[in-house]
Amino acid sequence: MTPADPLPFDPEQFNRLVRARRSIHPPQFVPGQPVPDSIVRQMLENANWAPTHKRTEPWRFVVFSGAGLRRLADFQAALYLEHLGERADEKKYRKLKDGPMLCSHVIAIGLKRHPEVPEVEEIEAVACAVQNLHLTATAYGLGGYWASGGITYLEAAKPFFGLGLHDRLLGFFSLGYVQQEPGRNIRRPVEEKVSWVTE
């Protein structure tokens, strides 16, 4: 390809897509309006094309929808109580118990460990996959939110999501239609975060 050749994609469309991405929390979703599974499958297909060192493709997803949302909610709320006992916070418990029911789908985000690749590189690969997931949701006009609280880092949570001892649960991606247009997003100028070395 030379500078004179037509571009294979519209860069301005992509630039708009990247800047339109927002973290939309479940209470901002339209209640009871399910996203078609065909769109969720496209999101997952695009996530699967993330960069990956040595092609380990470490991302693993478990998709909860319909009655599966209640199963997830009951599991995480019970595990939270079991883990914290008397120290459990009622507000956090209710959020774990009720939060998934506000969503069309919740996608658990896992990392399947490959010992030949440094763990940080596997985490980076999964994060790239989630970015693809989120950008695809944005392209379809959907809201998404990657949360890593609750039971995310509890070892006891892993088997429920098909993860082994050396794997990681990296959070949950909540998905739904948005009740209202998301607010303006702000970033400090990129010049504050970039150094150029030209000679």
Side-chain angles (χ1 to χ4, degrees), residues 165-185:
L165 178 64
H166 301 293
D167 303 331
R168 281 194 181 217
L169 180 61
L170 295 179
F172 301 89
F173 189 83
S174 298
L175 181 70
Y177 285 98
V178 185
Q179 293 197 55
Q180 59 187 34
E181 287 298 312
R184 180 168 168 259
N185 206 351

Side-chain angles (χ1 to χ4, degrees), residues 71-97:
R71 185 175 174 195
L72 170 64
D74 290 345
F75 170 77
Q76 65 180 9
L79 182 58
Y80 173 75
L81 283 183
E82 180 184 324
H83 179 69
L84 285 178
E86 294 180 359
R87 295 178 293 123
D89 179 82
E90 177 64 22
K91 187 176 178 181
K92 288 181 180 177
Y93 170 78
R94 290 301 343 160
K95 185 176 181 181
L96 292 170
K97 187 80 170 172

Side-chain angles (χ1 to χ4, degrees), residues 73-150:
D74 290 345
F75 170 77
Q76 65 180 9
L79 182 58
Y80 173 75
L81 283 183
E82 180 184 324
H83 179 69
L84 285 178
E86 294 180 359
R87 295 178 293 123
D89 179 82
E90 177 64 22
K91 187 176 178 181
K92 288 181 180 177
Y93 170 78
R94 290 301 343 160
K95 185 176 181 181
L96 292 170
K97 187 80 170 172
D98 301 334
M101 310 314 297
L102 302 174
C103 307
S104 168
H105 294 69
V106 175
I107 303 172
I109 302 161
L111 182 157
K112 180 62 74 172
R113 190 77 178 91
H114 296 268
E116 69 272 20
V117 177
E119 185 181 49
V120 65
E121 295 185 8
E122 300 285 77
I123 293 171
E124 291 160 352
V126 174
C128 287
V130 175
Q131 177 74 340
N132 284 0
L133 198 74
H134 207 161
L135 288 175
T136 307
T138 302
Y140 279 100
L142 301 170
Y145 181 62
W146 183 4
S148 58

